[in-house]
Amino acid sequence: MKIVTLGEIMLRLTPRGHARFVQAEGFSAFYGGAEANVAVALANWGEDAAFVSKVPAHAIGQAAVNALRRWGVDTRYILRGGERLGIYFSERGADRRSDYVVYDRANSAFAASLPEEYDWNAVFEGASLFHFTGITPALGERAAAVTEAACKAAKERGVAISCDVNYRSKLWGKEQACEVLGRLLRYADICIANENQARSLFGLSEGKEAEELSSRFGCGTVALTYRRTQDALHNRIWGELYTGGKKAVSRTYDMEMIDRIGGGDAFAAGVLYAHLHGFAPQKAVEFAEAASCLKHSIEGDACIASLEEVTELAEAKKKFGIGR
Amino acid sequence: MKIVTLGEIMLRLTPRGHARFVQAEGFSAFYGGAEANVAVALANWGEDAAFVSKVPAHAIGQAAVNALRRWGVDTRYILRGGERLGIYFSERGADRRSDYVVYDRANSAFAASLPEEYDWNAVFEGASLFHFTGITPALGERAAAVTEAACKAAKERGVAISCDVNYRSKLWGKEQACEVLGRLLRYADICIANENQARSLFGLSEGKEAEELSSRFGCGTVALTYRRTQDALHNRIWGELYTGGKKAVSRTYDMEMIDRIGGGDAFAAGVLYAHLHGFAPQKAVEFAEAASCLKHSIEGDACIASLEEVTELAEAKKKFGIGR
Amino acid sequence: MKIVTLGEIMLRLTPRGHARFVQAEGFSAFYGGAEANVAVALANWGEDAAFVSKVPAHAIGQAAVNALRRWGVDTRYILRGGERLGIYFSERGADRRSDYVVYDRANSAFAASLPEEYDWNAVFEGASLFHFTGITPALGERAAAVTEAACKAAKERGVAISCDVNYRSKLWGKEQACEVLGRLLRYADICIANENQARSLFGLSEGKEAEELSSRFGCGTVALTYRRTQDALHNRIWGELYTGGKKAVSRTYDMEMIDRIGGGDAFAAGVLYAHLHGFAPQKAVEFAEAASCLKHSIEGDACIASLEEVTELAEAKKKFGIGR
Amino acid sequence: MKIVTLGEIMLRLTPRGHARFVQAEGFSAFYGGAEANVAVALANWGEDAAFVSKVPAHAIGQAAVNALRRWGVDTRYILRGGERLGIYFSERGADRRSDYVVYDRANSAFAASLPEEYDWNAVFEGASLFHFTGITPALGERAAAVTEAACKAAKERGVAISCDVNYRSKLWGKEQACEVLGRLLRYADICIANENQARSLFGLSEGKEAEELSSRFGCGTVALTYRRTQDALHNRIWGELYTGGKKAVSRTYDMEMIDRIGGGDAFAAGVLYAHLHGFAPQKAVEFAEAASCLKHSIEGDACIASLEEVTELAEAKKKFGIGR
Amino acid sequence: MKIVTLGEIMLRLTPRGHARFVQAEGFSAFYGGAEANVAVALANWGEDAAFVSKVPAHAIGQAAVNALRRWGVDTRYILRGGERLGIYFSERGADRRSDYVVYDRANSAFAASLPEEYDWNAVFEGASLFHFTGITPALGERAAAVTEAACKAAKERGVAISCDVNYRSKLWGKEQACEVLGRLLRYADICIANENQARSLFGLSEGKEAEELSSRFGCGTVALTYRRTQDALHNRIWGELYTGGKKAVSRTYDMEMIDRIGGGDAFAAGVLYAHLHGFAPQKAVEFAEAASCLKHSIEGDACIASLEEVTELAEAKKKFGIGR
Amino acid sequence: MKIVTLGEIMLRLTPRGHARFVQAEGFSAFYGGAEANVAVALANWGEDAAFVSKVPAHAIGQAAVNALRRWGVDTRYILRGGERLGIYFSERGADRRSDYVVYDRANSAFAASLPEEYDWNAVFEGASLFHFTGITPALGERAAAVTEAACKAAKERGVAISCDVNYRSKLWGKEQACEVLGRLLRYADICIANENQARSLFGLSEGKEAEELSSRFGCGTVALTYRRTQDALHNRIWGELYTGGKKAVSRTYDMEMIDRIGGGDAFAAGVLYAHLHGFAPQKAVEFAEAASCLKHSIEGDACIASLEEVTELAEAKKKFGIGR
């Protein structure tokens, strides 16, 4: 089934090993972004996942496209032009030293693109699902307009819509986010969110986040991620899926992490995969959380664990991996 | 004392750091194999350890020989010729993501070699001990014939024989393994095995594995390894030595591992070193298990910890390292 | 336009920098093969290039597929299964020390595949051109049968056929090659060859190779590559295109090379690109030779120079690059 | 003697070895810029060289400062704040494949800084010389205003002024450059330029560039660089110094280059060093050209050859290095 | 405020990742030493920290100077000349495999330097504090004489003095250390020590070390470090500050370490920073211990955590990092 | 045939690629020395080559031994003990930037060893040839005594002796060298030298160096190397062999070099190999010079080209490689 994701793809620069930015003599290069990561995971699991964006017409822009194609993502709707590819620097923490992220994404080709540049007919032809995150409208008025245009185009063509709230306080204020995301979430059939962010952004009641998101925005399915931080390399995570008025909660994973980035995107990809394949709620949330857990053991932004690996962990077939 | 080991040496290709096969832009190269690893450990501890095998007559074959010579292994009995060097790809796991091994060892120069190619007189001249593992006869009829020829040649010359059962279900079925290994074990004075494998392969009683192996195959000494897996990088191990009708059990090590491969071979090398030097059972099993534990903290297939390091850990002289 | 190529894709292992095999502590990994390299170049230039093959159903096989997708190659017709991916080791020479190549490609998944495993209808649907090389039938009877089946299927569907003779004496004898390739070349509309090999394999007259190949096998277009070796890193190359009874000869390039592998494949890709776009002969041969020249300045097996870069060099727009 | 340079410092990202952007799995990181490179060379030769700029108040900005301090540059006048550090991507060419540079420097902290942010009294206290290049005013109106403010401040304090024309067509048009640089050059005592650029930008007569620059802008000293390109890694260079109405021309160097970037900045540093130490014209131009030549044999943007190395080459004491 | 430190700077050679010396194909290079590390930390936090030493007049000596300048250390008082730069090899341990250090520091330029080579007037002009460690006098008679000369010069100029006892049994015997350090400590206002070493070297009572050090040597401030070793990568640490007759104890950190070297130097730097800024005892010891804790998460010898990072951890503002 | 070489083995530290010492973040590690390099080349060609020396009893010393064993050198006569392993730093030049070598070899374990520590009976048992170079006696009185003791022991046992003059002005003065080497050369049957050094050290006539060395010291065979330097990476070399009163001169090689170090040692190894196998003079000098030429194309100190490669080049079987 064809899934469309829309957003920005960035160059990520990470010093090798445990080197700090101020020590680094070089960087490993990854290309990713919240929506691109979802597309990579789904394409890697065999789905027909397309990523819609705009990158500059030079070799660095092409490298971003190639990085997606490598995993099977359909990149034909990516426009070329504009000024630059967004960049973010990411330094891996250890023990009490936290991860350190420096964003340098302003004025990207995608953020400067306009709704009318995209051929929505082609983009949504044959699509079953459209996915975006709250990062995209946060990139500026143009990107918000592109997001809304995509939502409308999807809705008109009967394509189901998924939104991962993904509130980033560095990109916009709570009030503006609340207003814009509130408007966009009304298009969404599936709402994915981090419990803390969702509660604080929308003023939800603790323990009732999923129900309230569902009723406030009319999303049939709400998926929530929970994360507790021990230190830079150790986190505890679990997930929750609310659908058909019932709630399913996944196992809890205490993780030793290789790369913290993209854990939520892997969860979102798992939720969408489960949705597309009609998984029952408990199976669905276990699949999504297993995808998220495995992502943290992999370098780079996207969950490139195979379908077999995710399924095996989700179904607890391995001796280790559960409740250790 | 001269120790002879026989088997295949392979090129191991491992992506750097935590990269997955599907991400890897390159591989670190190691050369190893169950029997070669035993030879390296013994030579590194100062023994006169020879490795008998066959490698192709090109630079990759030569590189395998050089890798052994580096640690002091006597490589003069390694034949040149045949088609290829066996290869295995090994991806390091993390957290719930398991290690991933892809074998590409069929049709190796060694597996295609014949008993009559080897000069057993030269090989066993002055030897005190001959060691092989259950992997060698599993490589095919020719390799099984070479193994049996070596056992006979050793026996005829009064050389003591050690066999590490090392059952690999990817290489052969249980029935065939049981028959062939059963036949070969009757040559053995020392039998080394993983408790689970041994129990399941030979139908032994839990808790009585060593005694039953000893009585069934007439091996005076039986050494067993125990391993419990927490996750990809954390294992608990201990060992058991049954000799002279008595059992000695080593300390237990809860390990954070750098490289899981070769832990059993390090244990075997430790058992043989202890045997050659007449260690008392408790000292012997502590030495072997310390070698195994240290191996897991070292990159590559073989235990290249020094004799001093193994002894120090075995004798619990260090503050840390015991029962933490 | 859709172009179909058929053949084996291998893992190439190359020590870093100038290290020799016997020194190497690791290898850079590339995935390539004569036909895959043509597909990569064409896809990178924006063509719809499909590669047909078979790779094993494990992560190393998947990595080969991913490596092709990265450049835009359509990999949907690649079958999964079989024993192994072919491997070749390649050591970079310098000065009087030659490049050193060790092949380990026997028993690959592709070489063991059968004609009936492929869905030729799907493969050739909408195709304009089918390209293969003399390496493919040299891989064994099965691969030869697959090649011939592909030629027949292409012919029946009116798809133009291109064959790069690519005679490899390590794979088969001259007599057999001459017979099999002679039969296959009769399907071909375009014949590409190295002048020396062609002359010696088919007994052609010096200076008349193209004409004789054209008349003997009925290929309307014949393209020849010429190479003179100064040392491991310096070669002189030029090309010749014979079509419509006329011959065009390219500029000569004296090159300082980064990676010698794949120069002929880049030339072939250039010939095909020129053919598909109806370039006049002189423009065509300059384009193909420029692609070949640029390939030698790039690490890896395929010419990933952009269309603009190849065109710029072919059209001599740059100050340097011609007749220096 | 204290020398002040003013300009932007950028992060340079270069794929390792000969990898192309579209292949690169990582980048080496250098920090440089035309004026910063001059400061590094002078500080490395023992001068008291200060660099004036503005970098963002995060670790990437700090890394740029640290990179300068490493070579002894006085960084106390570098302001902190603003949005981002300018970046440029640089791919090393080979043979006919040219170097490939992608600039991503818009909206840098320095380009957005205002003249009044700088404490010109402190900056120029005790200074003997102020150096800037034509890149700085090309970064936008603010940067042009900062440059002019610096020139005025230097002039008022009797500090000699040096300007390297450094015209970059990617940054601004010829007309605007001509007007702005013309105005700024009137402050300059020393004018440095590439002969081609100077001729075309200011409409100078061939062979009379230095004389005309000197008389038009009133610069007592004019230094010109000449460069002929054979291919991506081979250039021929020489320099010319016009001072006191007389012209001195350096030896010519045919170079095999490691890193083409910063050759002109090394020449400028050499001119300034010679000026500060009162070298006679021929000695001066040989020193500057030797610094430029050696820079091309060094990775990174700045000439970090030692004073002894530059002097030795300039004075032709080495057997090789001259007119080979 | 200007702080002066005196001592040896060495080249540290560490195999990459977890490689052992006997496997290493190369080394990462760091430059450090107990006193240089203190200077780097203080300079990185914005203090005016000078390092006094002597290095050979060649590029390896210069590289050591550059490494200090990178972090802002004032290197103008470092003499050039002498035979060699001290070297130490450091292999990173894992699990039960300990760190392995090989010193090769005899006959260094600094150890052979004489008191009269240094310009103490210039060195201590404007200085607030002088810091040295017990390693410096242990390097030999000359180095001991230099240390005592520096103490006298500081004392005469009213500069406060700090001494980190840092007893190294590999460098000298207990008796000699006790005598020389006892004499030097009488100059000290601040005494820093590891509790175990201090107790055993000076025969102090357990639990009363700080008080007894203070009264015996007349140091108003005594800071002690405590360390318990779980294994090669896990330590527990805490600190104690005795000043004005009162004792403050820091939080305890159970650490997973990246690099064990320099933890005590980071503590010392923290003690000095707190002293210079008049921190209350509890704030001071938390600051020093946070600096020490963060150092263990950073590669290299010195604590290059920023002032903000240290303060944030010291003040327990982060959710994780305290009493986990 | 057993060949004995005697000398120092050092750790060589070389920055990666073209990095300079002052830029290097790490070093590649090689282990070598003039005599060890000869042993490696001969062992790699299948000879029974032993290296006699002394290394410290720690892991860095062991790594040096392992590096020799890797190539098949017999290391059983290497003593353990003493202070340190000699080190030298080597920076690769480019274009006009020369190679830069920093020696740090004083006080090595070998230089401090005494003649009576070695078991000359064991060392020379069964030996055909003893080889040393002029570097060894230059290391100090003890090393000179060891060298002379070895010469005497060899002479007494009828072992042929070879000496490579290898005069190093950094190690000793001309007068002392002339006296000591003159005395030692009287033991030698084979004298190898660089023509320039030999002429200047012993005051020989140009064009008559070989004859005069032969008659003055009574060496039946004299081999001379000639080298002309174009730049850091380009040299021209040829060799001369004077034996039985006749002179044979090799082809001349204009080389593009990967690693300049050890070219003379490879020549020496070639001379000895030719001597041991009774090559006619012209064949001998071509073999030795081919070994030297190939060494320059290989990273590291020793010629690890295979016997086939050297022979192929020496016999001019390859199209390129001669007189280009």
Side-chain angles (χ1 to χ4, degrees), chain B residues 144-210:
Chain B
V146 168
T147 313
E148 192 144 13
C151 284
K152 278 188 190 148
K155 208 67 175 180
E156 287 165 15
R157 286 157 184 84
V159 178
I161 297 181
S162 155
C163 170
D164 183 343
V165 170
N166 237 333
Y167 171 64
R168 297 286 166 93
S169 59
K170 285 193 180 175
L171 290 173
W172 53 354
K174 217 178 260 191
E175 204 175 342
Q176 195 193 355
C178 196
E179 188 231 305
V180 174
L181 287 175
R183 194 167 68 241
L184 292 169
L185 275 170
R186 286 196 178 79
Y187 291 95
D189 303 284
I190 301 171
C191 168
I192 302 167
N194 170 284
E195 44 112 24
N196 271 320
Q197 285 181 353
R199 199 161 52 234
S200 121
L201 186 66
F202 295 119
L204 309 175
S205 322
E206 185 150 7
K208 292 277 180 197
E209 298 88 351

Side-chain angles (χ1 to χ4, degrees), chain C residues 254 299 309 318 320 324, chain D residues 20 23 95-96 230-231:
Chain C
D254 276 308
E299 287 182 337
E309 289 173 315
K318 240 190 286 195
F320 64 84
R324 71 173 160 153
Chain D
R20 308 211 63 184
Q23 303 176 295
D95 198 65
R96 272 84 173 174
Q230 279 84 46
D231 70 13

Side-chain angles (χ1 to χ4, degrees), chain C residues 143-198:
Chain C
V146 168
T147 314
E148 190 142 14
C151 284
K152 277 188 190 147
K155 207 69 174 179
E156 286 165 15
R157 286 158 185 84
V159 178
I161 297 180
S162 155
C163 171
D164 183 342
V165 170
N166 237 332
Y167 171 64
R168 298 287 165 91
S169 59
K170 287 194 179 174
L171 291 172
W172 54 355
K174 217 179 257 192
E175 202 174 345
Q176 195 193 359
C178 197
E179 187 231 304
V180 173
L181 287 176
R183 192 166 71 241
L184 292 170
L185 273 170
R186 285 192 181 84
Y187 292 95
D189 302 286
I190 302 170
C191 170
I192 303 167
N194 169 285
E195 44 109 25
N196 271 322
Q197 285 182 352

Side-chain angles (χ1 to χ4, degrees), chain F residues 212-258:
Chain F
E212 294 180 14
L213 281 170
S214 177
S215 62
R216 184 172 326 169
F217 300 111
C219 309
T221 295
V222 175
L224 296 177
T225 59
Y226 292 78
R227 180 180 296 262
R228 300 292 175 265
T229 297
Q230 279 84 45
D231 70 15
L233 296 176
H234 296 84
N235 280 188
R236 170 177 298 164
I237 59 166
W238 68 96
E240 192 180 295
L241 186 71
Y242 177 81
T243 187
K246 289 196 182 141
K247 209 183 270 188
V249 179
S250 78
R251 280 197 301 278
T252 293
Y253 293 104
D254 277 308
M255 303 180 302
E256 186 170 63
M257 302 181 294
I258 298 299

Side-chain angles (χ1 to χ4, degrees), chain C residues 30 70-71 252-256 258 293-294 297-300 304-306 309 313 318 320-324, chain D residues 16-25 91 93-98 100 196 229-234 256:
Chain C
F30 301 94
R70 183 174 182 174
W71 305 107
T252 293
Y253 293 104
D254 276 308
M255 303 180 302
E256 187 169 62
I258 299 299
C293 174
L294 286 174
S297 73
I298 295 171
E299 287 182 337
I304 54 162
S306 69
E309 289 173 315
L313 179 56
K318 240 190 286 195
F320 64 84
I322 312 142
R324 71 173 160 153
Chain D
R16 271 149 249 147
H18 293 96
R20 308 211 63 184
F21 288 143
V22 287
Q23 303 176 295
E25 298 300 307
E91 175 187 298
D95 198 65
R96 272 84 173 174
R97 179 166 61 76
S98 310
Y100 186 168
N196 270 321
T229 298
Q230 279 84 46
D231 70 13
L233 296 176
H234 296 84
E256 187 169 62

Side-chain angles (χ1 to χ4, degrees), chain F residues 105-319:
Chain F
R105 65 194 299 177
N107 305 307
S108 73
F110 174 72
S113 73
L114 297 164
E116 54 269 31
E117 296 183 56
Y118 298 88
D119 178 354
W120 301 116
N121 275 325
V123 164
F124 289 114
E125 192 191 343
S128 302
L129 190 59
F130 168 58
H131 175 74
F132 69 100
T133 84
I135 293 172
T136 305
L139 297 178
E141 278 179 36
R142 292 189 173 193
V146 168
T147 314
E148 189 142 16
C151 284
K152 278 189 190 147
K155 208 68 173 178
E156 286 164 17
R157 287 160 183 84
V159 178
I161 297 181
S162 155
C163 170
D164 183 343
V165 170
N166 238 334
Y167 172 64
R168 297 288 165 92
S169 58
K170 287 194 180 177
L171 291 172
W172 53 356
K174 218 179 258 190
E175 202 175 344
Q176 194 192 359
C178 197
E179 186 232 305
V180 175
L181 287 175
R183 193 168 68 241
L184 291 170
L185 274 170
R186 288 197 175 79
Y187 291 95
D189 303 284
I190 301 172
C191 170
I192 303 168
N194 170 285
E195 44 111 24
N196 270 321
Q197 286 181 353
R199 199 162 48 235
S200 119
L201 186 64
F202 296 118
L204 309 176
S205 324
E206 185 151 7
K208 292 277 178 197
E209 298 88 350
E211 291 87 334
E212 294 180 14
L213 281 170
S214 177
S215 62
R216 184 172 326 169
F217 300 111
C219 309
T221 295
V222 175
L224 296 177
T225 59
Y226 292 78
R227 180 180 296 262
R228 300 292 175 265
T229 297
Q230 279 84 45
D231 70 15
L233 296 176
H234 296 84
N235 280 188
R236 170 177 298 164
I237 59 166
W238 68 96
E240 192 180 295
L241 186 71
Y242 177 81
T243 187
K246 289 196 182 141
K247 209 183 270 188
V249 179
S250 78
R251 280 197 301 278
T252 293
Y253 293 104
D254 277 308
M255 303 180 302
E256 186 170 63
M257 302 181 294
I258 298 299
D259 191 328
R260 204 182 55 80
I261 294 172
D265 306 326
F267 178 82
V271 167
L272 300 188
Y273 187 88
H275 176 84
L276 290 165
H277 291 267
F279 286 11
Q282 188 64 37
K283 184 176 175 184
V285 75
E286 293 293 4
F287 184 88
E289 199 62 26
S292 184
C293 174
L294 285 174
K295 165 58 204 70
H296 293 86
S297 73
I298 294 172
E299 287 180 338
D301 295 39
C303 180
I304 55 162
S306 69
L307 192 55
E308 293 68 33
E309 289 173 317
V310 179
T311 305
E312 189 185 51
L313 179 57
E315 300 185 356
K317 286 180 180 155
K318 238 191 290 193
K319 260 179 270 170

Side-chain angles (χ1 to χ4, degrees), chain D:
Chain D
M1 269 168 291
K2 179 173 171 183
I3 304 118
V4 174
T5 73
L6 167 82
E8 187 178 19
I9 181 161
M10 292 181 285
L11 167 59
R12 166 181 166 192
L13 296 168
T14 294
R16 271 149 249 147
H18 293 96
R20 308 211 63 184
F21 288 143
V22 287
Q23 303 176 295
E25 298 300 307
F27 299 99
S28 293
F30 302 94
Y31 294 88
E35 304 80 10
N37 300 344
V38 169
V40 167
L42 289 168
N44 192 52
W45 295 334
E47 301 300 313
D48 176 13
F51 178 64
V52 180
S53 189
K54 186 173 182 182
V55 301
H58 55 46
I60 304 298
Q62 186 59 41
V65 172
N66 290 3
L68 295 171
R69 290 199 301 206
R70 183 174 182 174
W71 305 106
V73 174
D74 183 349
T75 61
R76 84 185 73 177
Y77 310 115
I78 299 181
L79 308 175
R80 305 300 165 95
E83 290 305 309
R84 64 186 299 261
L85 197 75
I87 292 174
Y88 77 103
F89 297 89
S90 150
E91 175 187 298
R92 196 180 177 227
D95 198 65
R96 272 84 173 174
R97 179 166 61 76
S98 310
D99 276 21
Y100 186 168
V101 174
V102 172
Y103 283 103
D104 178 16
R105 67 194 297 178
N107 304 306
S108 73
F110 174 72
S113 73
L114 297 165
E116 53 270 31
E117 296 182 56
Y118 298 88
D119 177 354
W120 301 116
N121 275 325
V123 164
F124 288 114
E125 192 190 340
S128 303
L129 190 59
F130 168 58
H131 175 73
F132 70 99
T133 84
I135 291 171
T136 305
L139 297 177
E141 278 180 34
R142 291 188 174 193
V146 169
T147 314
E148 191 142 13
C151 284
K152 278 186 190 149
K155 207 68 175 179
E156 288 164 15
R157 286 158 184 82
V159 178
I161 297 180
S162 155
C163 170
D164 183 343
V165 171
N166 238 333
Y167 171 63
R168 296 288 165 90
S169 59
K170 285 192 180 175
L171 290 173
W172 53 355
K174 217 178 260 192
E175 203 175 344
Q176 196 193 355
C178 196
E179 187 231 304
V180 174
L181 287 175
R183 194 167 67 241
L184 293 170
L185 275 170
R186 286 195 179 82
Y187 292 94
D189 303 285
I190 301 171
C191 170
I192 303 167
N194 170 284
E195 44 111 24
N196 270 321
Q197 285 181 354
R199 199 161 52 233
S200 120
L201 186 64
F202 295 118
L204 309 175
S205 322
E206 187 152 5
K208 294 276 181 197
E209 298 89 349
E211 292 87 334
E212 294 181 14
L213 280 171
S214 176
S215 62
R216 189 178 315 175
F217 300 112
C219 309
T221 296
V222 175
L224 296 178
T225 60
Y226 293 77
R227 181 180 294 262
R228 301 292 175 265
T229 298
Q230 279 84 46
D231 70 13
L233 296 176
H234 296 84
N235 280 189
R236 170 177 299 165
I237 59 167
W238 68 96
E240 192 180 296
L241 185 72
Y242 178 83
T243 188
K246 289 196 182 141
K247 211 184 269 187
V249 179
S250 78
R251 281 197 301 278
T252 293
Y253 293 104
D254 277 307
M255 304 180 300
E256 187 169 62
M257 302 181 293
I258 298 300
D259 190 327
R260 204 183 53 79
I261 294 173
D265 306 327
F267 178 81
V271 167
L272 300 187
Y273 187 88
H275 176 84
L276 290 165
H277 291 265
F279 285 12
Q282 188 63 37
K283 183 176 176 184
V285 74
E286 293 294 3
F287 183 88
E289 199 61 26
S292 183
C293 172
L294 285 174
K295 165 59 204 70
H296 293 85
S297 73
I298 294 172
E299 287 181 338
D301 295 40
C303 181
I304 54 162
S306 69
L307 192 55
E308 292 68 32
E309 289 173 316
V310 178
T311 304
E312 188 185 53
L313 180 56
E315 301 184 356
K317 287 180 181 157
K318 239 192 289 198
K319 260 179 268 169
F320 65 83
I322 311 143
R324 72 176 162 154

